Amino acid sequence: MTDLPSSVEIREEGPREGFQIEPGPIPTARKIALVDALSATGLHHIQVCSFVSPKLVPGWADAEAVVAGFAPRAGVTYTALWFNAAGLSRAMAFKDRLKVEGAVTVVASEAFSLKNLNRDRAKNLAAQRSNVAAHLEAGVPVPRISVQAAFGCNYSGDVPPAKVIEALADAFAIGAEHGLALREATLADTMGWATPARIERVVGEVRARWPELSLILHLHDTRGLGIANAHAGLRLGISRFDTTVGGLGGCPFAGQPGAPGNIATEELVLLCEEMGLATGIDLDALVEAGRLAEEVVGRPLPSTLLRSGGLARFRQAA
């Protein structure tokens, strides 16, 4: 385990991921309450909402109200998600409260691109060129690549590493056209196809091609392998992960209603603690935030830690 990072950055996406897929309606004040609770756990990065079409994602019709309503905490970076110039314009209205940065979003499965974005590869690349240009014109940096369906797809099956390399190469080509220094990339297991072996293979091939590229893993726990996949990433030296409190969320266009969402933030924090890796997060406070999330959505969430709690109090009692 010589490649283990000394510390791990956990990027909380529970509010954005969760409220995009819950049937709702969930009151705006309850969404704000969850953001505020998460802000008090020691997390340094929280994605609070999506600026997307309310017709396609009605759970985020109140995105502006949520962003205007939460209480920003010093030391916490708040972000949002958007896919086009209209979403960017909405985010820019809150640049005093949100860190507004863009990404070149590519998809390793064309079938999923059609389902999720209604674009084939060529159309998506054209859209990304326009999107990057709009960001730069607005003075918004674009430092990152996001690769969706990087480990497999419910519509096209296994996604070979070559398709991930191809998607990244497309993104770097767009970056070169606009003079961008794309230094980091998120590899997203959008539909829960990853296994530890797939993580090792994809990360290995990406690093062989671009050894200086900083990687972030966005892992879903769709088939129960999420934390095992995170462990594989940690062993490879990956130090940044997207997670959701309680395991909220899931992709609304993945064709898997009711499937678990991202790996649960508190479960990854526990894993890191037991491996001696610093996260800066108060696990007990995070578990309480997860229990609040269950109250907000009105159903049990996938995280087993919300029922069992951490190990600290049992160690003290023993």
Side-chain angles (χ1 to χ4, degrees):
M1 293 191 180
T2 55
D3 289 334
L4 285 173
S6 60
S7 62
V8 177
E9 176 189 329
I10 295 180
R11 300 151 60 96
E12 172 63 43
E13 297 192 348
R16 192 273 299 172
E17 277 266 3
F19 301 138
Q20 75 177 2
I21 202 167
E22 292 295 326
I26 296 172
T28 300
R30 298 295 278 160
K31 296 178 181 178
I32 292 169
L34 180 58
V35 173
D36 287 341
L38 290 167
S39 296
T41 64
L43 285 160
H44 295 292
H45 185 287
I46 302 172
Q47 192 169 66
V48 297
C49 74
S50 290
F51 290 113
V52 289
S53 167
K55 291 182 180 179
L56 295 176
V57 187
W60 275 119
D62 60 349
E64 279 84 355
V66 171
V67 176
F70 74 82
R73 181 174 285 248
V76 182
T77 296
Y78 300 91
T79 64
L81 184 71
W82 58 89
F83 292 108
N84 53 34
L88 169 62
S89 178
R90 293 169 67 188
M92 287 291 287
F94 295 97
K95 60 184 180 180
D96 59 327
R97 299 172 68 81
L98 299 174
K99 183 178 182 180
V100 180
E101 285 187 345
V104 182
T105 301
V106 289
V107 189
S109 163
E110 189 165 37
F112 181 66
S113 183
L114 288 165
K115 283 283 185 180
N116 189 38
L117 302 171
N118 197 30
R119 304 170 188 150
D120 62 15
R121 178 187 174 194
K123 288 182 179 178
N124 184 55
L125 295 180
Q128 293 307 307
R129 289 184 174 91
S130 298
N131 200 33
V132 167
H135 280 73
L136 297 181
E137 185 177 348
V140 175
V142 182
R144 184 172 61 87
I145 302 168
S146 175
V147 184
Q148 298 181 9
F151 300 95
C153 174
N154 290 343
Y155 304 106
S156 62
D158 292 309
V159 172
K163 285 293 183 182
V164 179
I165 298 297
E166 180 181 74
L168 284 165
D170 285 341
F172 277 115
I174 292 172
E177 291 170 13
H178 293 85
L180 299 178
L182 297 168
R183 298 187 177 92
E184 59 186 39
T186 297
L187 302 179
D189 184 27
T190 315
M191 287 161 280
W193 280 62
T195 65
R198 287 180 192 266
I199 296 288
E200 292 172 5
R201 191 159 56 247
V202 172
V203 170
E205 295 208 20
V206 170
R207 282 178 167 168
R209 179 73 179 270
W210 296 286
E212 301 304 318
L213 185 64
S214 178
L215 298 179
I216 303 162
L217 289 180
H218 179 102
L219 303 171
H220 282 223
D221 199 31
T222 312
R223 294 171 175 84
L225 292 177
I227 205 70
N229 294 331
H231 184 257
L234 289 168
R235 287 174 59 93
L236 295 168
I238 303 292
S239 63
R240 291 189 291 170
F241 295 82
D242 295 338
T243 64
T244 65
V245 66
L248 274 166
C251 177
F253 306 105
Q256 297 177 139
N262 284 44
I263 56 173
T265 310
E266 59 276 8
E267 292 183 350
L268 181 57
V269 171
L270 176 64
L271 175 65
C272 290
E273 283 190 355
E274 292 301 305
M275 295 175 71
L277 309 178
T279 65
I281 295 170
D282 181 334
L283 182 57
D284 290 338
L286 187 60
V287 168
E288 289 307 309
R291 290 169 179 162
L292 172 62
E294 286 192 321
E295 293 177 18
V296 170
V297 300
R299 65 178 180 87
L301 291 173
S303 170
T304 57
L305 204 61
L306 298 187
R307 277 154 284 287
S308 61
L311 295 172
R313 66 186 179 92
F314 292 99
R315 284 197 173 101
Q316 289 174 351

